[in-house]
Amino acid sequence: MTELSQKAARMSAGQQQQLTQKAIHHARKAIKLEPGNADFLTTLGSIYRVANQYEEAEEAYRQALQYNPKEPIALDGLGQTLWHLAGKNQFQKEAAEIYFKQAIAENPNLEIAYFSLAKLSLELDDAEQAVFYGNQALAKHPGASIFATVGDAYQRLEKFVKAEQCYQQGIKKFPDHATCYKQYTDLAIEQGNLQQAKELSNKISTLTPDDPESLIILAKTHELAKEFTTAEAIYNGLINQSLRSEYYYYLAANQVKQGDKQAALESLAQGMAIELERQKDKTFLGIYLAQFTRNWTHFNHAVEVLKLLPPQLPSYQQAHAQQLVRTVLLRINGEHTKYPIHIENDITLYSSYLLDIHYSPEYTQEEVYTAHCEFDRLFAQPLALTSPPHRISSGTGQQLRIGYMSQDFRAHSVAYFIEPILSNHDPEKVAVFCYYNNTHQDAVTERFKGYCNGGWRDCMEWTDDELANIIRRDKIDILVDLMGHTGKNRILVFARKPAPVQMAYLGYSDTTGLTAIDYRLTDTYVEPEGAEQFSSEQLLRMPGSYFCYRPADITKDITVNPLPALSKNYITFGSFNAYNKITNTQIKHWAAILARVPDSRLLLKVRQSGDLLRNFKTIIRKRFAQYGIASERLIIKDYARSLEIALKIYHEVDICLDTYPYNGATTTCESLWMGCPVVSLYGQNHVSRMSLSILSAVGLAELAVDNAQVYIETAVTLAQDIDKLKNLRASMRERLQNSPLMDATGFTKELEQHYQDIWQTYIEASSSPQEQAIITFPL
C-alpha cells in the first residue's frame, strides 16, 4: 500500500469513526426524548454493533426488548451480539440461537436470521439444523456464502452429491465469489478427486491470490498430487508473512509425509514455542498437542510425530507429552497397548493414568491393583500419617452425618444414579451434606441442594487442607467419594482422613488404592467372590445391583418406538459408548456379527464434532474395512447437543452391543430405557462387569456372556429372532421400572442399614471413644 493510499485509508477510518459517534449521539438524544422507545434503542444497539462496541450493543438491545419483547430486529441483533461475544462459550452460543429463532417467529421474512442460524448451527455441530435454516435462507435471498454454508452442512452429513450440487449452484450464480470454490475444493480433496481439486484451487488463486486460507487450500491440493515440496514452499511463505502456530501444524504434517520426521519435530517445536509464550503453565502443553492432532488430516502422521516428541522436550514436560501420546494412540488408532509412563512426581497425571489403563485389555487385574497401591504409597500415605484423631459425634440409633463429594451434582450421568439415593434418604436417620467440586450450576444442581438437610458446600476453590478442615468442622461420620481418579477429583482430601469412616462409590469403577478409604460399595456381579484381593477397601456388597437408576426427567416424554427392523427389513446394531472404549479387538467382534447377519448395519455415536468427527469417521471405517465390512454398513452419528436428541437416535437401533473391557453403565441403562436389549461381554475386573450387573437386575442375565465367541453367537441369535426383539422392545421400559435397578426407596433403605452397620463397627473398634482427643480447627 502506497503512502498516499495509507493516508486515504486513515482519513476514511477517521471519518467513519466521526460519523459513528454522531449517529450514537443522535440516537441517545432521541432516546432521552422518548426513553421507552424500543425502535430508538434497537437503532442504538445496531450502531454500537457496527462499531464493534458489543457490550454497549448488548445493553441497548436488552433495554429495547424490555419495552418490546417481540421486536425482531432487536432479537436478531442481540443474537448476533451474543454470538460475537461467545468465543468458545457453548452456552452463550445456544442463547444466541434462541434469540435468532425468536426473531424468525416474530418476522418469518427476516432473511439475515435464517442465514445466521445456519452458520451458528454449524458451530454448534448441528448440521441437520444448518441445512434446514440454510435452505430457507436460500429460498428467500440466495447468496454465495449461504450456498457455501448449506453445502458445508451437507458435506458434514456425508450427503456429498447434494453438497456438490450446492457448491455448483453457488459458483454458477456468483462466479467471482471465492467462498463456494473453497468449500468445493475441500470436498474434492476429501474425496481424493485430484483433477477437480486442481481446477478449483487454481480458480481460487486467481480470485484471492494473497488470501492465507486460499493458499492453504492450494497447498493441500499439491499434497493430494504428492507435490510435497511445492506445498512446503507455500507453508513456508505463509510463515514468513505471519508466525502463526497453525502454519507450523501444516508444515510439520507435510514434512512427515515426505519422511522427514526430524524436520517435522523442529517445525512442531517452533509452533509450540509460539503457544507456550502465551501460556507458561506446563499443563497447557497437553492441550496444545491435542489441538495439534485436531488439525491434522492424517492422524497416523500425528501419532508418529508424537511418539518421537517426548525425548525432544524438557524433562518436566515429557510426562505430559507421553500421556498425550498414549491418549492419542488409544482414542484415535484403537491402540490399547501398554505404554510406559514415568509420572511419579505428578499426581494429576498419575490419576489420569490409573483411569486410562482400564480401557486397555492388556493390563491384568494384578497390574491395575498394583498401580493403584503405588499411587497410595507415593501420594496418599504420607498425608494419612498426619491425620489427627476424630471426634465421634454420633452414636448407635442417632442421625448419621453422611457427606457426599462429587463434581457431578449437575446434569451428568452420575446424577442419574446418585440423585435417587439422596432424594430418598430418611432425614431422621441421615443428615446429608454435599461437597460440590465444580463451578457449573444448573437446575439439577438446585435439586441436589434441596436434598441437603445437613449442608451444601461449594468446595472447588478450597485447598485440600481447607476442605478437610471444613469436613471435620461439619463433624461428618461417613464421607463418600463419588469421583475416585476421574477428572477434578479430590482424592487427596480423603488421604487426609477428614472423616472417621470413608467410602468409595459409583464415580470410579475400581479400587481407589487408598488405605485411608475404608469401604467400597459394590455388588456380587461386579466384584464376585475373590475380588477382595484386588481392593484396598473392604467390599460392601449390595444384595442386588449396586446401581440405582433414575432416568432424566426429559426422557419420560420420549416414548419407545416400534422395532425399526419391522419397517427397514434389516437389523441395526448400535453402540453409543465412548469412542475410546472401542478396541481393535472389539471391532473384530462387531465385524464378525455384521458378517453373520445379512444386510445389517452398525450405528455408532461419537462425541467428536466438526473436522475431528470427519477424520474419526474415516479412521473407524478403515478399521472395519480390514475385517471386510464396507463403509455403507456403518452409520456414524455426530455429537448430539442434547440428551433428547441423543436418546431419539435409539429409535433407529434394534440391538445394542456393549464394549469390552470397559462396559457401558449409563449407556446400558439408557439403551434398556429406550427398548434396546444390550449384548455384553464380561471379564474379571469391575469395569468389564457393569452391564452384567445391570442386565441381571432386569432379568436379562443371559445377554451377558464371558466368552467372545459366545458374545458373537448371542448377538447373531437375538438378531434372528424378530418376535423376541419385538416383545423385548414393547416390554423393556416396564421391565426396567419394575426391577430392583429403579427401586430407589428399597435401595436407599438398604444403604442406610449398611451405614448404620459400618458405623457400629467403627464405634465398637474404638476402645475409648469418649477419651479421644477433641481437635479444634480454624473456621
Side-chain angles (χ1 to χ4, degrees), residues 655-658 667-669 671-672 676-680 691 695 700 703-704 718 732:
I655 302 169
C656 282
L657 301 175
D658 200 10
T667 49
T668 299
C669 290
S671 300
L672 298 175
C676 298
V678 179
V679 180
S680 181
S691 288
L695 291 168
L700 292 173
L703 297 182
L718 185 60
M732 189 71 78

Side-chain angles (χ1 to χ4, degrees), residues 719-737:
Q720 293 169 343
D721 195 338
I722 296 296
D723 288 338
K724 183 175 182 179
L725 284 174
K726 185 170 66 174
N727 292 333
L728 280 173
R729 196 173 192 90
S731 63
M732 189 71 78
R733 186 168 290 190
E734 184 179 3
R735 177 193 288 264
L736 194 62
Q737 289 171 322

Side-chain angles (χ1 to χ4, degrees), residues 175-416:
D176 296 326
H177 202 292
T179 305
C180 284
Y181 286 103
K182 290 178 182 178
Q183 288 294 139
Y184 199 1
T185 309
D186 179 71
L187 176 62
I189 292 171
E190 184 178 341
Q191 296 187 314
N193 191 332
L194 175 59
Q195 186 57 41
Q196 188 179 62
K198 277 188 172 181
E199 292 173 2
L200 291 166
S201 60
N202 286 333
K203 180 65 177 179
I204 296 169
S205 298
T206 302
L207 292 172
T208 54
D210 299 321
D211 175 44
E213 185 180 353
S214 301
L215 289 169
I216 289 170
I217 291 171
L218 182 62
K220 287 182 178 180
T221 303
H222 284 297
E223 287 177 333
L224 182 63
K226 300 190 183 304
E227 298 166 356
F228 299 117
T229 54
T230 305
E232 183 178 8
I234 294 173
Y235 294 136
N236 279 319
L238 286 167
I239 289 170
N240 290 334
Q241 292 177 24
S242 176
L243 293 175
R244 296 180 60 176
S245 56
E246 58 263 36
Y247 298 159
Y248 285 105
Y249 297 159
Y250 294 120
L251 179 60
N254 176 282
Q255 290 164 333
V256 170
K257 292 169 194 172
Q258 295 186 62
D260 194 347
K261 294 179 182 178
Q262 185 58 42
L265 280 172
E266 292 172 2
S267 297
L268 176 57
Q270 291 178 69
M272 285 172 56
I274 295 171
E275 295 292 334
L276 293 174
E277 281 179 10
R278 297 204 303 261
Q279 177 59 268
K280 300 298 183 183
D281 185 355
K282 65 179 181 180
T283 60
F284 185 76
L285 175 64
I287 299 170
Y288 175 77
L289 289 175
Q291 185 65 30
F292 170 75
T293 60
R294 285 174 66 93
N295 283 272
W296 280 41
T297 303
H298 303 286
F299 279 88
N300 57 313
H301 295 311
V303 170
E304 289 305 312
V305 171
L306 289 169
K307 280 182 177 179
L308 295 173
L309 185 59
Q312 309 292 321
L313 298 173
S315 58
Y316 76 91
Q317 294 180 346
Q318 287 185 23
H320 290 267
Q322 289 173 332
Q323 182 75 347
L324 179 73
V325 172
R326 190 176 187 286
T327 300
V328 170
L329 292 172
L330 184 150
R331 298 187 178 186
I332 297 173
N333 280 1
E335 189 176 316
H336 289 66
T337 54
K338 295 180 184 178
Y339 201 88
I341 288 186
H342 305 289
I343 45 180
E344 291 82 356
N345 297 320
D346 194 312
I347 180 175
T348 303
L349 282 176
Y350 204 118
S351 250
S352 178
Y353 170 71
L354 292 178
L355 176 63
D356 280 352
I357 60 178
H358 290 94
Y359 293 93
S360 172
E362 299 294 325
Y363 291 87
T364 66
Q365 272 186 291
E366 185 175 358
E367 288 173 324
V368 173
Y369 175 60
T370 300
H372 284 76
C373 292
E374 183 66 5
F375 177 93
D376 186 51
R377 184 187 70 81
L378 290 170
F379 303 107
Q381 286 184 18
L383 295 170
L385 294 174
T386 67
S387 176
H390 294 92
R391 172 178 181 169
I392 299 178
S393 61
S394 304
T396 305
Q398 294 180 334
Q399 184 190 52
L400 284 172
R401 299 167 73 85
I402 309 295
Y404 292 94
M405 190 180 298
S406 178
Q407 61 170 321
D408 299 319
F409 296 135
R410 57 192 171 98
H412 186 274
S413 57
V414 169
Y416 305 151

